[in-house]
Amino acid sequence: MANITNTPESAGSNLMARALREAFYAGLVALGLFVLFVGLKTDQNILNELVLVQRWGLLAVFVAIAAVGRFLSVAFIRPYLAERKASKASAGVKEPGFVTRNFSMIAVAVLLVYPPIMVAIFGFQGSLKWVDNFGIQILIYVMLAWGLNIVVGLAGLLDLGYVAFYAVGAYSYALLSSYFGLSFWVLLPMAGIFAALWGMILGFPVLRLKGDYLAIVTLAFGEIIRLVLINWTAVTKGTFGISGIAKASVFGIWSFDVSASNNFAKVFGLPMSSAYYKIFLFYLILALCLLTAFVTIRLRRMPIGRAWEALREDEIACRSLGINTVTTKLTAFATGAMFGGFAGSFFAVRQGFVSPESFVFLESAIILAIVVLGGMGSLIGIAVAATLMIGGTELLREMEFLKHIFGPDFTPELYRMLIFGLAMIIVMVWKPRGFVGSREPTAFLRERKNVSGSFTKEGHG
Amino acid sequence: MAGTNTMTKDPILKVDHLSMRFGGLMAINDLSFEAYRGDITALIGPNGAGKTTVFNCITGFYKPTMGMITMRQKAGKEYLLERMSDFEVNRDAKVARTFQNIRLFSGLTVLENLLVAQHNKLMLASGYTVLGLLGFPAYKRAAAQSIEQAKYWLDKANLIDRADDPAGDLPYGAQRRLEIARAMCTGPEFLCLDEPAAGLNPRESLALNELLRSIRKDTGTSILLIEHDMSVVMEISDHVVVLEYGQKISDGNPDHVKNDPKVIAAYLGVEDDEVEEVIEQIEEIAEVAPGDTHK
């Protein structure tokens, strides 16, 4: 079909005529495409005979959608977009506003006051949902994605089995706390160390692989860990999972166990509520996230961080400059895995229950999708992507009003993967480098100029 | 320091009986030559002569089938390069290289490219990241010093104005210069340049000659370069080694090589009297084969 977008529109009538013509063609094409698929349907009648059902009404709807869509697109949407583009180009580069410049500071401040505000609005019991399902859930994924960002975004190593390290962290806490009674504050660093160790164990044999091959092996590793957790029933209780995992305490001073004498609510003479623990967990994961961000930002300015990014850009050039690429890749793997382990132990303490169900491949895929959508290497972009992805899927559970439209059987959260996929396609078409495609340099002589995404590479090793 | 072509030279790199076989192809066949300290040595030859293969063997990217490559540092320490892996050749033996098809970190800024090149030095100063992460002053000093070092080379390569731009954004000639500056930031004693003048216009070529001369004069770095541009080779090199089909056919100062009949034959084909011989041979073969209608 003729698709002339660059012709300057001289008159409105001309445009309308063209829009109508293209709408007609689009309708014609739709008719041709759908007449046999939609217009006619083969079915069996009660005598088991094959009959042809005619569905002209449905076909008309399909054709109408195509024609009207084309008309709207040509007549209104395209001129509007072109106009906006032109006005943007003429306006030149805008000075970023106050919010843009201080985005991360404002975000941290908002997160710090988030639980009290929720309590103030919804009361203790009502705030549980907002602090736990939205706040904590999103922050766990932010932390996981920031951890994976070190491996994928900075070092350019495609890791499809990141959830394995999350599992290692969660199970190290669950097992060591239930078998040996160690506290969360001892086990949090240990979970990180164990995960980092597993990162190295995986890294040694596989880091000679590149690109697709590395991705496949990491994918397999993720599955191996999950299958070990399922089948090593003597230790992990298999698919039953480990329940009754001990809660974390405020550095051992105040506990959240109801029976304990130093229970938080009792000590302060507050009414009993499970909200205190959730709020404590919220601040805990927020602190862990900030730690991850702080370490990532600092590491990027260290020689090792620059070597990771150089590795993503060109591995052979790295070697010609005397950089040991094997140890550099291993440190990236281990550092990323360590943050996965921290997040895992936090996950175990929050749920009080872990089972292999939580560590399926889909989790790895979601974390990777967040990193890619956010813009590889960009902490802010990734945080925004995690909020949209995880917050969005949680919001679907709140869409009760949709039941009034689609009937009582409609459960919107079942459509989350469909919406997730659609959203990814749209974002990737609209912003192929993710929300934040540009890269901030780690050092500068005169002025810090962001590097456009068209120069950075995705990595291949 | 400048190259005077006396015979009492101190070899910095010795290549002994080097052979490299790829399956059935003998890319380098029993090649021996020396590069002298403080010299600019050029490695020339027709396409496919095995020049880049020699480079890859020297810098550890290929493991030679046979032979020995000895690098002798100023302090007298010797390294057998054929036994070392690629990154050790740079880190320990102090041999840096550039690539025929430029390999910059295009998404990093020009300055960052030069900082990555100082990785090993900074790694040590940052206590393998741990001390640096905790903000020790020793690392801050080393970091500031590495930026000074980068500035020095940016100045030399005439790139100081582009320091904060992405390396991929530079024009071709500037990318070539940046790659050389980056190699020099590793602090090498021996610099291998793979066709540094390829794709440069005459003015850029001249600037490159200037840069290479000043590298040798100011740092005492010895240079080995592969080059097709004879104006560069004859202008700046002290010593030329000519390869053809993986074998050395000539070795000496530029004037000697220029007049060597073997070199002329390799570049321009065989000489006239030999051409007649070849034609005679072909005619003999044609007479033996009667089915052939062509005469």
Side-chain angles (χ1 to χ4, degrees):
Chain A
M1 193 188 308
N3 188 0
I4 311 149
T5 48
N6 291 330
T7 323
E9 265 80 50
S10 51
S13 63
N14 194 0
L15 180 71
M16 283 299 150
R18 196 161 69 87
L20 280 173
R21 195 172 62 240
E22 290 200 13
F24 175 70
Y25 288 141
L28 219 57
V29 170
L31 182 72
L33 277 176
F34 292 120
V35 67
L36 293 178
F37 290 109
V38 178
L40 300 172
K41 185 186 171 209
T42 51
D43 212 345
Q44 280 177 327
N45 67 5
I46 199 140
L47 301 170
N48 244 0
E49 288 166 341
L50 198 62
V51 291
L52 214 52
V53 182
Q54 301 181 9
R55 300 189 294 185
W56 303 120
L58 194 62
L59 180 64
V61 170
F62 272 67
V63 171
I65 288 174
V68 170
R70 185 77 193 174
F71 177 77
L72 289 178
S73 156
V74 172
F76 299 107
I77 297 173
R78 284 225 200 110
Y80 168 73
L81 287 180
E83 193 182 323
R84 217 179 59 154
K85 207 172 179 183
S87 70
K88 214 183 225 173
S90 64
V93 185
K94 256 194 305 178
E95 185 69 18
F98 176 77
V99 176
T100 324
R101 268 181 292 137
N102 300 302
F103 183 80
S104 45
M105 282 298 145
I106 293 171
V108 170
V110 167
L111 284 173
L112 280 175
V113 297
Y114 177 76
I117 290 176
M118 287 300 134
V119 170
I121 298 175
F122 299 102
F124 272 117
Q125 216 48 44
S127 73
L128 270 183
K129 183 178 81 185
W130 293 99
V131 173
D132 192 24
N133 290 3
F134 284 88
I136 295 178
Q137 182 77 0
I138 290 171
L139 285 176
I140 287 181
Y141 278 93
V142 168
M143 180 164 178
L144 283 171
W146 279 350
L148 183 63
N149 174 48
I150 293 174
V151 185
V152 179
L154 295 185
L157 305 165
L158 185 51
D159 183 354
L160 292 180
Y162 190 64
V163 81
F165 306 123
Y166 188 39
V168 168
Y171 268 86
S172 356
Y173 177 69
L175 292 174
L176 291 177
S177 107
S178 49
Y179 282 104
F180 300 106
L182 294 173
S183 90
F184 175 72
W185 295 103
V186 175
L187 287 176
L188 178 71
M190 278 178 81
I193 290 168
F194 281 140
L197 206 67
W198 276 105
M200 293 220 237
I201 290 170
L202 165 69
F204 263 118
V206 309
L207 284 181
R208 65 189 65 228
L209 303 176
K210 280 188 181 166
D212 311 351
Y213 306 100
L214 177 70
I216 296 280
V217 174
T218 52
L219 177 93
F221 177 74
E223 287 302 289
I224 287 171
I225 292 275
R226 192 173 64 87
L227 290 173
V228 167
L229 292 180
I230 289 177
N231 291 303
W232 195 8
T233 43
V235 176
T236 65
K237 301 203 180 77
T239 44
F240 294 113
I242 299 169
S243 53
I245 299 169
K247 286 180 175 177
S249 61
V250 189
F251 303 109
I253 305 168
W254 300 299
S255 153
F256 291 97
D257 285 330
V258 183
S259 53
S261 58
N262 59 344
N263 181 285
F264 184 82
K266 275 186 204 160
V267 170
F268 288 92
L270 298 166
M272 282 300 204
S273 166
S274 56
Y276 306 128
Y277 185 52
K278 295 297 179 197
I279 292 170
F280 165 68
L281 287 181
F282 179 87
Y283 283 116
L284 182 59
I285 185 70
L286 184 60
L288 285 172
C289 278
L290 292 179
L291 176 78
T292 314
F294 175 76
V295 171
T296 308
I297 291 168
R298 280 304 278 267
L299 279 179
R300 270 195 71 206
R301 291 175 195 166
M302 294 278 128
I304 188 71
R306 289 206 193 99
W308 288 340
E309 292 202 80
L311 198 66
R312 177 191 69 204
E313 299 289 321
D314 195 324
E315 185 178 342
I316 288 176
C318 270
R319 290 225 287 268
S320 83
L321 297 173
I323 296 173
N324 185 343
T325 49
V326 174
T327 53
T328 308
K329 284 180 182 179
L330 269 181
T331 50
F333 242 80
T335 315
M338 182 180 75
F339 289 118
F342 287 155
S345 71
F346 176 83
F347 172 78
V349 96
R350 175 223 184 187
Q351 301 288 91
F353 168 75
V354 288
S355 82
E357 285 283 287
S358 313
F359 309 107
V360 291
F361 170 68
L362 185 65
E363 292 294 313
S364 290
I366 288 175
I367 300 165
L368 185 66
I370 290 171
V371 174
V372 173
L373 278 184
M376 297 208 284
S378 154
L379 294 183
I380 291 177
I382 288 168
V384 170
T387 312
L388 289 182
M389 281 281 155
I390 307 304
T393 52
E394 288 296 322
L395 264 182
L396 281 178
R397 291 183 216 278
E398 307 299 318
M399 303 282 183
E400 285 300 315
F401 66 88
L402 288 177
K403 288 201 173 164
H404 300 301
I405 304 172
F406 294 103
D409 290 340
F410 184 75
T411 38
E413 57 263 35
L414 291 183
Y415 288 83
R416 74 192 173 97
M417 288 325 284
L418 185 73
I419 295 171
F420 194 92
L422 267 178
M424 274 202 76
I425 292 170
I426 291 168
V427 173
M428 285 291 110
V429 168
W430 168 57
K431 284 207 155 194
R433 285 274 169 166
F435 292 136
V436 180
S438 62
R439 167 183 175 276
E440 194 183 340
T442 59
F444 61 98
L445 274 190
R446 298 209 185 91
E447 97 183 273
R448 194 185 288 279
K449 286 189 263 187
N450 276 0
V451 176
S452 142
S454 52
F455 294 114
T456 50
K457 302 207 173 85
E458 297 90 353
H460 33 65
Chain B
M1 194 60 81
T4 46
N5 295 303
T6 51
M7 293 309 290
T8 55
K9 281 261 177 171
D10 168 24
I12 182 165
L13 184 88
K14 249 172 89 176
V15 175
D16 283 317
H17 303 287
L18 182 72
S19 294
M20 181 78 208
R21 181 195 287 280
F22 295 108
L25 175 75
M26 205 68 171
I28 310 171
N29 193 0
D30 197 26
L31 172 71
S32 301
F33 72 91
E34 288 178 346
Y36 303 110
R37 194 178 305 284
D39 266 6
I40 295 181
T41 308
L43 193 59
I44 64 171
N47 285 332
K51 304 180 296 287
T52 299
T53 310
V54 173
F55 251 51
N56 284 338
C57 288
I58 291 173
T59 51
F61 282 82
Y62 289 163
K63 289 275 158 269
T65 318
M66 260 186 284
M68 190 161 86
I69 306 167
T70 320
M71 161 83 194
R72 218 170 124 251
Q73 287 183 351
K74 211 176 281 164
K77 204 152 184 229
E78 286 196 353
Y79 291 91
L80 291 176
L81 300 185
E82 82 279 3
R83 298 189 184 171
M84 300 165 78
S85 63
D86 41 17
F87 71 92
E88 291 169 332
V89 167
N90 182 290
R91 191 185 63 187
D92 303 331
K94 299 279 167 216
V95 176
R97 73 167 294 177
T98 65
F99 295 88
Q100 191 172 350
N101 43 346
I102 306 173
R103 284 181 173 277
L104 289 173
F105 305 125
S106 60
L108 308 190
T109 66
V110 170
L111 179 68
E112 285 178 306
N113 266 273
L114 300 189
L115 293 180
V116 170
Q118 304 176 55
H119 177 80
N120 289 315
K121 195 175 69 186
L122 287 172
M123 216 43 193
L124 212 61
S126 70
Y128 295 93
T129 313
V130 180
L131 299 183
L133 210 55
L134 299 173
F136 269 60
Y139 171 67
K140 283 183 185 152
R141 272 200 305 277
Q145 197 239 324
S146 72
I147 289 191
E148 285 307 311
Q149 167 90 349
K151 254 161 120 175
Y152 172 80
W153 283 108
L154 284 175
D155 217 23
K156 279 228 156 189
N158 198 15
L159 290 167
I160 196 93
D161 295 329
R162 305 293 308 260
D164 299 325
D165 291 332
D169 202 18
L170 296 182
Y172 190 80
Q175 292 197 0
R176 284 258 176 234
R177 288 202 304 280
L178 175 59
E179 207 188 14
I180 295 171
R182 189 180 68 180
M184 286 311 294
C185 272
T186 63
E189 286 196 20
F190 191 64
L191 177 64
C192 301
L193 305 172
D194 198 343
E195 300 203 18
L200 300 190
N201 63 32
R203 204 163 51 88
E204 288 172 323
S205 223
L206 228 62
L208 176 80
N209 287 358
E210 219 40 61
L211 176 64
L212 295 187
R213 279 214 192 88
S214 89
I215 284 175
R216 179 177 58 174
K217 189 158 87 34
D218 298 343
T219 67
T221 308
S222 320
I223 297 174
L224 175 68
L225 59 94
I226 292 179
E227 194 45 75
H228 279 300
D229 187 341
M230 285 302 145
S231 71
V232 174
V233 172
M234 295 304 163
E235 174 82 18
I236 65 166
S237 49
D238 308 301
H239 174 196
V240 180
V241 177
V242 190
L243 291 188
E244 193 192 17
Y245 298 118
Q247 283 173 317
K248 185 167 83 175
I249 56 170
S250 187
D251 186 350
N253 62 34
D255 284 330
H256 167 81
V257 166
K258 223 187 295 187
N259 301 318
D260 189 328
K262 273 187 181 163
V263 177
I264 296 168
Y267 271 90
L268 302 177
V270 285
E271 280 178 319
D272 284 345
D273 51 339
E274 286 170 357
V275 171
E276 281 166 18
E277 275 177 39
V278 172
I279 292 171
E280 275 168 26
Q281 282 169 4
I282 292 169
E283 280 173 355
E284 276 170 28
I285 293 164
E287 278 167 15
V288 172
D292 198 339
T293 51
H294 292 284
K295 198 95 197 217

